[in-house]
């Protein structure tokens, strides 16, 4: 590994499993989510197995409802609310998969959802969020401005805020991905997970290690947006451009709660470049006819990059989502060409 | 339905099941192919079900080995040969999925394969065919010229010719798709199948009606390449441009054997335009994150176009393949925009 270097090994081996987010918590979420979420397929590819010299299992959350794992956490978060809270409606700010996850979860649970999106949000994402049943308010030039407007609106209306990652119930919902993948293939010894704010990897790490503490959890960030890695290594984010095709993991400030969990349970964090991500998107599309978004492709990009160093026989890859703008394809192809594909 | 109009109903109801290609033949192919082919997934989509007001099941042959159903027929054809025949090698002409199917089948069965491709064949397809283990000979400006060169070469070398569709063993191999889909969902009452030369639909129709003669088989051709429809209606092909994005079903002369079978077993043939095919490709990519090629999308395009007229509660859609050049995406998007999507 180029980065990370098992820096958390000591802590992990302390044996502490679960404090604020526990394995039982994720199990409970799993049971409650059963009637609501898709049990997404676990797929394999002989070609990929040969390329990386291990058995690889892709957990296809791009085929989850709303096209990403985010629907799991949002739904469980809303299910944990009282009827009185639900009646006040929910609110969030997001230009991406969280917006759609909250919108659809609210519709399913008969709550009103208001989603603040920056004015620059592509029309297709605005439409998708509306179609899932949310009221969309377009405001501000940046995400930060939309976020602040949503907070003000919350104070005014009393709606319940659904944070995109820094929330234990939400993390428990995302962690159900780990329970499913280990049910589908119990030989998995390593799971590679993309990191944005850290909600998915927190849930996955706690749940997987609750089942088998020897399962390795490897997190992946985009090289230009590796704020979790920097935070855990006390490095500054000043050198980061936060310019990546993987907008789903382009997060400037990872969560406080998620950072603690990642620090405790995640074995390693690695980073991948946009050309590596683009090559992984194109590989999956051309070989396996599956569409992944940038964030969803980050795990496969990491496997291709580090497969020599990853000591795994049965490796799980979380394909977190598939909501990529098809207009991006020429750019993806162009980037992928730059990648000297050595996997 | 705009075309077809159940013109074959009388013949079908004569009760004749199987004469030259029989259901037993396909069952035998199924058993022999078990260790060689992928049992491809059958997927569903709530959104699609609602759009067309029926339960829809997509048989994802885009995830078959070599990315298309063609590998089934080619493999079974080669398995039926004697060792002496196999030792002489196999030969074919194709610029598409049949080339890759034969190449990989020959490799698996340790035979030499020589594939003639027209000089205009995209480099990616030439490379793929070579990578699957075939010798590729690029010759001629058109497919017809490559085909004639391959016939001459066959006479010289004594290699066995593997026809892309007009061969009973090959059809039996393709028909195994029907046995799988009906095992995966036995309520299916209608199967929509793309028609190129007619090999796939022949195998599927014979096998499905052998299991349940009430299952309706609907064939789909591209509007500008509907030569099977014309042949069965004694119409001339002069008005056809044979210019379609669905190159896998762009066939000027359907088979003699396949035409007989289609005439006897297929309930209806419908046609779809390139804009309808493009809209179906984009729909599947954006909603279900799955990549279909033009031919593979024809069945879904037909369902969207004729769903009001198709009397089915459980409708199977054969997604025949996924080998589309990603460079086509901007064109697909442009075409799809022209389609007033009314499904």
């Amino acid at each position: 590994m180029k980065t990370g270097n098992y820096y958390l090994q000591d802590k992990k081996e302390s044996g502490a499993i679960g404090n604020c987010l526990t394995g039982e918590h994720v199990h409970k979420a799993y049971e409650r989510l059963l009637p609501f979420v898709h049990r997404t397929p676990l797929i394999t590819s002989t070609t990929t197995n040969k390329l990386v010299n291990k058995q690889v299992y892709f957990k296809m959350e791009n085929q989850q409802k709303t096209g990403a794992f985010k629907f799991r956490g949002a739904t469980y978060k809303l299910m944990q609310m009282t009827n009185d809270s639900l009646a006040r409606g929910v609110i969030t700010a997001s230009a991406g998969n969280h917006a759609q996850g909250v919108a659809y979860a609210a519709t399913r649970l008969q709550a009103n959802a208001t989603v603040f999106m920056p004015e620059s949000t592509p029309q297709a994402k605005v439409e998708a969020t509306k179609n899932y049943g949310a009221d969309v308010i377009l405001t501000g030039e940046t995400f930060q401005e939309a976020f602040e407007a949503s907070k003000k609106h919350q104070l005014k209306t009393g709606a319940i805020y659904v944070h995109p990652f820094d929330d234990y119930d939400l993390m428990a919902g995302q962690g159900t991905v780990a329970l499913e993948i280990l049910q589908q293939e119990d030989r998995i010894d390593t799971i590679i997970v993309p990191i944005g704010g850290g909600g998915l990897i927190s849930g996955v790490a706690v749940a997987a290690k609750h089942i088998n503490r020897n399962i390795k959890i490897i997190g992946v960030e985009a090289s230009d947006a590796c704020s979790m890695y920097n935070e855990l290594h006390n490095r500054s984010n000043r050198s980061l451009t936060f310019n990546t095709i993987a907008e789903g993991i382009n997060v400037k400030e990872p969560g406080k709660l998620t950072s603690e969990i990642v620090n405790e349970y995640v074995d390693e964090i690695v980073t991948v470049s946009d050309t590596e991500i683009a090559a992984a998107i194109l590989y999956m599309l051309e070989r396996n006819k599956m569409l992944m978004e940038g964030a969803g492709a980050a795990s496969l990009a990491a496997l291709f990059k580090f497969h020599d160093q990853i000591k795994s026989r049965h490796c799980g890859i979380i394909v977190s989502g598939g909501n990529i703008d098809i207009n991006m394809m020429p750019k993806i192809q162009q980037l992928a060409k730059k990648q000297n594909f050595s996997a």
Side-chain angles (χ1 to χ4, degrees), chain A residues 21-300:
Chain A
L21 174 69
T22 65
E24 285 82 8
H25 196 172
V26 182
H27 272 282
K28 191 178 150 205
Y30 174 80
E31 277 166 30
R32 293 212 62 195
L33 285 177
L34 268 180
F36 289 89
V37 304
H38 280 318
R39 184 180 176 87
T40 52
L42 193 68
I43 69 163
T44 60
S45 146
T46 318
T47 313
T48 309
N49 293 349
K50 278 185 198 158
L51 276 174
V52 301
N53 195 29
K54 36 185 79 57
Q55 298 290 311
V56 183
Y57 307 88
F58 295 95
K59 180 64 173 165
M60 303 305 285
E61 284 294 300
N62 63 345
Q63 289 173 55
Q64 187 50 262
K65 286 173 186 175
T66 73
F69 73 94
K70 291 276 189 181
F71 176 68
R72 293 176 185 263
T75 305
Y76 187 60
K77 172 69 184 169
L78 267 63
M79 292 175 94
Q80 292 303 96
M81 292 181 185
T82 61
N83 284 341
D84 282 353
S85 295
L86 276 183
R88 282 150 66 195
V90 296
I91 187 170
T92 196
S94 163
N97 291 331
H98 179 62
Q100 296 176 43
V102 169
Y104 192 45
T107 296
R108 291 296 304 274
L109 296 167
Q110 299 179 298
N112 290 323
T114 308
V115 178
F116 282 69
M117 300 179 120
E119 284 161 7
S120 58
T121 307
Q123 190 57 22
K125 295 206 168 181
V126 175
E127 285 306 317
T129 307
K130 284 183 181 171
N131 287 340
Y132 284 122
D135 294 326
V136 171
I137 296 178
L138 286 170
T139 185
E141 286 181 15
T142 64
F143 173 77
Q144 196 58 30
E145 288 176 29
F147 175 72
E148 278 156 21
S150 71
K151 285 301 221 181
K152 270 188 202 156
H153 193 260
Q154 184 205 8
L155 290 176
K156 214 166 59 187
T157 62
I160 309 294
Y161 208 88
V162 183
H163 194 279
F165 41 84
D166 225 18
D167 179 293
Y168 290 127
D169 286 327
L170 194 105
M171 290 181 225
Q174 323 295 31
T176 59
V177 174
L179 300 189
E180 273 188 24
I181 194 176
L182 292 169
Q183 278 170 8
Q184 288 166 308
E185 178 49 64
D186 65 6
R187 290 174 298 178
I188 285 173
D189 54 41
T190 302
I191 306 177
I192 309 185
V193 193
I195 302 183
L200 175 63
I201 198 168
S202 293
V204 166
V206 168
K209 287 187 189 281
H210 179 73
I211 289 175
N212 177 353
R213 53 180 290 183
N214 294 320
I215 293 172
K216 285 224 152 34
I217 306 293
I218 300 175
V220 188
E221 291 189 295
S223 318
D224 289 331
C226 61
S227 46
M228 180 74 87
Y229 179 83
N230 281 357
E231 174 154 326
L232 297 183
H233 289 78
N234 296 315
R235 292 189 191 175
S236 150
N237 278 347
R238 266 183 304 180
S239 62
L240 302 178
T241 62
F242 291 101
N243 181 9
T244 167
I245 55 168
E247 79 256 8
I249 53 174
N250 194 5
V251 173
K252 287 190 183 166
E253 286 188 34
K256 286 201 174 69
L257 308 179
T258 56
S259 292
E260 280 174 20
I261 295 173
V262 170
N263 192 28
E264 185 159 348
Y265 293 105
V266 171
D267 297 273
E268 186 144 10
I269 298 178
V270 299
T271 64
V272 289
S273 69
D274 268 17
T275 57
E276 288 157 349
I277 291 171
I281 292 174
L282 212 58
Y283 174 91
M284 200 67 168
L285 197 55
E286 291 184 337
R287 304 294 180 100
N288 296 311
K289 320 300 175 193
M290 303 275 189
L291 185 64
M292 312 189 292
E293 61 180 270
S299 316
L300 177 58

